[in-house]
């Protein structure tokens, strides 16, 4: 699995898809480190360590390139926009990996606008579960979130269950010192997430870009990094340079 993941990282690297490549390098390195721990052959261990060192160096170079590109974009034309393309059945795009670089320690307030945070069970979506997972990520930090604003739409036939679940999430968050404000709009269409450090993330499918797990005991059921994704596009902006805040 580690070799396949690193192979994918190299392919993405060669295609100049650096953000996706970095995710795969990091995941592949973690898997290879587990192999080293389980290997008793010292010669094999040495070869693995050499390869891991090479991959770590390349991952660091990519990280520096992304940061440099980000800074150059800011200062060159006064605005910032990055786009990530998530391919059909791609893995490695759990919430923590997608959002971590924007959830800095100063983040204390989050806005989530998504019209489909309403179904618990549907053929291809687990929207309320995914919103809960997103909230869990915020609670874990390193950000110090105190308030989450959710704007969504009512679930016509399942409104009662939707309200029950959202109130349960609200109560649970309060146990961690986080306030959840819930509002509804019948006309909401766009999907976006905003942090009070200025970052705005627009995901074509909202938080619901993961495919339905094959079963309750299949790999990827709990760990979203291992869950295949639907094809979607992620657009990342800095709100200092956008009209809406």
């Amino acid at each position: 699995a580690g070799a396949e993941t690193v192979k994918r990282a190299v392919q993405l690297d060669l295609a100049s898809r650096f953000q996706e490549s970095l995710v795969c390098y990091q995941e592949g390195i973690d898997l290879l480190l587990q192999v080293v721990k389980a290997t008793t052959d010292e010669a094999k261990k040495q070869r693995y360590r050499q390869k891991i060192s090479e991959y770590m160096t390349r991952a660091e170079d990519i990280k520096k390139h992304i940061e440099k590109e980000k800074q150059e974009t800011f200062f060159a034309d006064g605005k910032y926009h990055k786009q990530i393309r998530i391919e059909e059945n791609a893995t490695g795009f759990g919430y923590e990996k997608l959002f971590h670089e924007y959830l800095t320690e100063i983040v204390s307030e989050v806005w989530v606008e998504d019209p489909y945070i309403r179904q618990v069970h549907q053929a291809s979506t687990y929207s309320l579960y995914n919103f809960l997972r997103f909230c869990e990520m915020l609670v874990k930090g390193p950000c110090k979130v105190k308030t989450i604003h959710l704007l969504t739409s009512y679930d016509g036939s399942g409104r009662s269950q939707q309200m029950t679940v959202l109130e349960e999430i609200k109560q649970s968050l309060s146990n961690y010192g986080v306030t959840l404000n819930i509002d509804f709009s019948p006309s909401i269409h766009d999907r976006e997430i905003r942090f009070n450090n200025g970052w705005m993330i627009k995901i074509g499918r909202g938080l619901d870009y993961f495919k339905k797990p094959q079963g309750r005991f299949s790999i990827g059921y709990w760990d979203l990094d291992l869950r295949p994704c639907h094809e979607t596009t992620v657009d990342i902006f800095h709100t200092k340079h956008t009209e809406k805040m």
Side-chain angles (χ1 to χ4, degrees):
E4 286 299 318
T5 304
V6 169
K7 181 180 178 182
R8 178 63 175 157
V10 172
Q11 292 172 340
L12 292 166
D13 192 352
L14 292 173
S16 299
R17 293 166 59 180
F18 298 119
Q19 187 68 45
E20 295 169 77
S21 176
L22 180 59
V23 171
C24 287
Y25 271 124
Q26 291 170 334
E27 184 178 340
I29 289 168
D30 288 341
L31 291 170
L32 290 176
L33 285 171
Q34 293 175 31
V35 173
V36 170
K37 289 181 181 179
T39 301
T40 56
D41 187 314
E42 287 300 323
K44 286 185 178 180
K45 275 191 174 184
Q46 185 57 35
R47 288 197 295 272
Y48 281 130
R49 289 188 182 120
Q50 183 177 346
K51 283 296 182 182
I52 290 170
S53 177
E54 292 174 4
Y55 296 140
M56 289 178 71
T57 298
R58 181 53 187 161
E60 284 300 316
D61 288 343
I62 291 175
K63 192 181 295 184
K64 290 176 183 177
H65 173 78
I66 292 172
E67 186 60 31
K68 182 181 178 182
E69 188 178 59
K70 185 189 301 183
Q71 294 299 324
E72 287 176 348
T73 306
F74 266 126
F75 292 112
D77 56 11
K79 61 183 180 180
Y80 177 77
H81 173 218
K82 177 173 74 175
Q83 186 175 88
I84 299 172
R85 181 91 174 173
I86 299 178
E87 295 181 343
E88 185 77 5
N89 291 318
T91 57
F93 290 96
Y95 294 146
E96 292 188 17
K97 287 192 177 178
L98 187 62
F99 293 106
H100 78 280
E101 66 178 294
Y102 311 106
L103 284 171
T104 58
E105 292 184 0
I106 66 171
V107 173
S108 60
E109 198 165 6
V110 177
W111 291 262
V112 178
E113 296 185 8
D114 190 323
Y116 298 109
I117 307 298
R118 55 192 193 190
Q119 293 94 351
V120 176
H121 295 292
Q122 194 182 13
S124 61
T125 180
Y126 290 79
S127 300
L128 285 164
Y129 285 128
N130 286 339
F131 178 65
L132 174 60
R133 288 186 177 104
F134 179 76
C135 291
E136 288 175 336
M137 175 192 67
L138 297 177
V139 169
K140 286 170 64 177
C143 56
K144 309 297 181 184
V145 172
K146 296 299 181 184
T147 308
I148 302 171
H149 303 274
L150 172 65
L151 179 63
T152 189
S153 61
Y154 282 117
D155 183 359
S157 60
R159 179 169 171 174
S160 176
Q161 184 183 36
Q162 177 192 24
M163 292 301 299
T164 298
V165 173
L166 286 175
E167 284 299 323
E168 186 174 341
I169 294 173
K170 181 175 182 177
Q171 180 59 47
S172 183
L173 282 168
S174 71
N175 295 332
Y176 290 86
V178 180
T179 299
L180 174 61
N181 297 320
I182 307 167
D183 289 301
F184 298 90
S185 169
S187 59
I188 181 176
H189 180 267
D190 291 342
R191 301 170 175 88
E192 67 180 45
I193 296 167
R194 305 192 304 277
F195 306 132
N196 68 322
N197 61 352
W199 289 105
M200 176 193 293
I201 295 93
K202 291 176 174 278
I203 308 174
R205 300 182 67 99
L207 290 172
D208 213 19
Y209 57 88
F210 299 102
K211 290 195 168 184
K212 181 181 177 181
Q214 294 181 348
R216 295 182 64 184
F217 296 95
S218 60
I219 296 298
Y221 185 87
W222 294 112
D223 190 340
L224 293 181
D225 284 335
L226 300 173
R227 180 86 68 85
C229 299
H230 291 286
E231 181 178 344
T232 193
T233 300
V234 182
D235 287 286
I236 301 159
F237 306 89
H238 196 276
T239 52
K240 179 180 179 182
H241 307 292
T242 61
E243 295 181 358
K244 185 173 182 180
M245 177 61 185

